[in-house]
């Protein structure tokens, strides 16, 4: 903490006797954008929806007033948004969001991420269930002790309950028993829990879609232009998007709703599995080529 990561890594590699040098320091979002752009020139943005969340996009260099360095040859530049840290009076925070934030390791930070990403969705569900147990005796006269443990309910478990299609919601019953040690639940209780998972996931997915629309608006790709059939491709990576089918389906449906059916036909959300690692390697390669050319 507080040290130059590249210097530290270089020192550690030298200590191991490795003849290696670090040519690029890249976060997963920029890596995903680079990897996606290399294989498909229509990729204009990358979004990570996993444990955390972020976005990056390609901007016209002249639209960046902060930039005072050497002009980019392509006339374009990558903007790493760090959108997880977005907050606004227009983001309607619930009391559960406020409590989660206040008790987190970074209060007041990463507000958008705390509403949409995999680290926090299961925790929001747990907090709502705890309130239901405390104020409405949802699980009976006593509050299940395990329900009071922060982050006891992880988003993969929430996803498994949300996707339960069995007639008696057996997966929900098993998850409650194994994780929260709640052994006796009725079918109507289990249905309520699935509905709660749906509410929290839907809110997260719709907010993520709104974020993507904001990026498309900034790039001027949110309106149809006469005769323009150019595809707008968004490279998407992260376990939440990949494994939580109801979330990713809701995100894409919301984007279609916001853009309109006709415009949405030109938008492609492309899953870029491990795009960040490939993108980082490509950036390192292009940097060494740049040094050779110099």
């Amino acid at each position: 903490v507080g040290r130059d990561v590249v210097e530290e890594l270089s020192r550690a590699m030298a200590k191991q006797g490795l003849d290696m040098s670090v040519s690029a320091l890249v976060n997963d979002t920029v890596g995903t954008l680079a990897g996606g752009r290399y294989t498909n020139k229509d990729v204009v943005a990358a979004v990570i929806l996993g444990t955390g969340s972020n976005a990056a996009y390609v901007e016209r260099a002249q639209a960046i007033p902060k930039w005072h360095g050497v002009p980019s040859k392509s006339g374009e530049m990558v903007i790493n948004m760090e959108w997880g840290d977005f907050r606004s009076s227009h983001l309607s925070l619930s009391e559960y969001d406020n409590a989660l934030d206040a008790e987190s390791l970074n209060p007041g930070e990463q507000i958008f991420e705390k509403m949409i990403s995999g680290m926090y969705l299961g925790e929001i569900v747990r907090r709502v269930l705890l309130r239901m147990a405390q104020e409405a005796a949802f699980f009976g006269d006593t509050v299940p002790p395990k329900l009071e443990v922060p982050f006891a309910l992880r988003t993969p478990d929430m996803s498994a309950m949300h996707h339960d299609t069995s007639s008696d919601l057996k997966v929900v019953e098993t998850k409650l028993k194994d994780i929260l040690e709640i052994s006796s639940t009725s079918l109507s209780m289990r249905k309520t829990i699935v509905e709660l998972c749906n509410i929290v996931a839907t809110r997260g997915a719709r907010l993520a879609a709104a974020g993507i629309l904001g990026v498309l608006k900034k790039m001027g790709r949110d309106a149809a232009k006469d005769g323009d059939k150019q595809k707008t491709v968004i490279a998407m990576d992260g376990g939440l998007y990949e494994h939580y089918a109801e979330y990713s389906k809701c995100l894409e449906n919301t984007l279609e709703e916001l853009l309109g059916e006709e415009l949405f036909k030109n938008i492609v959300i492309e899953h870029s599995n491990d795009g960040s690692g490939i993108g980082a390697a490509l950036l390192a390669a292009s940097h060494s080529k740049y040094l050779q050319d110099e």
Side-chain angles (χ1 to χ4, degrees), residues 124-136:
I124 295 167
V125 169
R126 182 197 68 83
R127 285 171 179 270
V128 180
L129 284 175
L130 178 60
R131 177 83 177 274
M132 288 160 70
Q134 289 168 335
E135 297 190 9

Side-chain angles (χ1 to χ4, degrees), residues 72-265:
S72 107
K73 287 178 187 171
S74 66
E76 294 178 322
M77 194 169 289
V78 171
I79 301 291
N80 169 43
M81 294 175 67
E82 294 297 338
W83 84 358
D85 205 27
F86 173 70
R87 71 176 305 162
S88 160
S89 58
H90 299 288
L91 270 182
S92 182
L93 294 168
S94 70
E95 60 190 270
Y96 305 105
D97 298 310
N98 288 322
L100 185 153
D101 177 51
E103 294 164 32
S104 70
L105 296 172
N106 54 346
E109 295 174 17
Q110 302 296 112
I111 299 299
F112 191 49
E113 183 171 87
K114 285 168 181 168
M115 298 175 85
I116 70 171
S117 82
M119 175 86 180
Y120 303 100
L121 296 179
E123 173 64 3
I124 295 167
V125 169
R126 182 197 68 83
R127 285 171 179 270
V128 180
L129 284 175
L130 178 60
R131 177 83 177 274
M132 288 160 70
Q134 289 168 335
E135 297 190 9
F138 186 70
F139 293 110
D141 295 338
T142 56
V143 175
K146 281 282 170 79
L147 194 56
E148 299 188 52
V149 179
F151 293 94
L153 187 68
R154 295 160 55 250
T155 301
D157 301 314
M158 165 193 172
S159 171
M161 293 194 292
H162 191 173
H163 291 108
D164 190 356
T165 54
S166 61
S167 58
D168 59 349
L169 298 177
K170 193 73 184 165
V171 176
V172 179
E173 184 181 34
T174 304
K175 288 288 179 190
L176 291 171
K177 199 176 290 178
D178 293 350
I179 298 159
L180 300 173
E181 294 177 4
I182 299 166
S183 51
S184 54
T185 54
S186 66
L187 182 58
S188 65
M189 286 165 75
R190 298 198 288 275
K191 282 180 177 175
T192 302
I193 291 166
V194 172
E195 179 57 24
L196 172 58
C197 293
N198 185 54
I199 290 166
V200 174
T202 299
R203 183 188 71 154
R206 288 179 73 80
L207 283 170
I212 293 169
L213 179 68
V215 177
L216 295 176
K217 273 180 180 284
K218 181 70 178 70
M219 292 189 291
R221 290 183 180 242
D222 64 320
K225 298 180 183 74
D226 291 339
D228 184 13
K229 294 291 179 198
Q230 187 189 7
K231 291 285 183 193
T232 295
V233 182
I234 297 149
M236 184 81 73
D237 199 10
L240 181 65
Y241 179 80
E242 185 180 354
H243 300 298
Y244 201 146
E246 287 293 333
Y247 185 102
S248 41
K249 190 167 69 182
C250 177
L251 183 148
E252 289 174 31
N253 290 343
T254 303
L255 206 50
E256 182 174 11
E257 182 188 323
L258 292 169
L259 287 163
E261 191 182 339
E262 201 54 40
L263 193 59
F264 185 70
K265 285 177 185 170

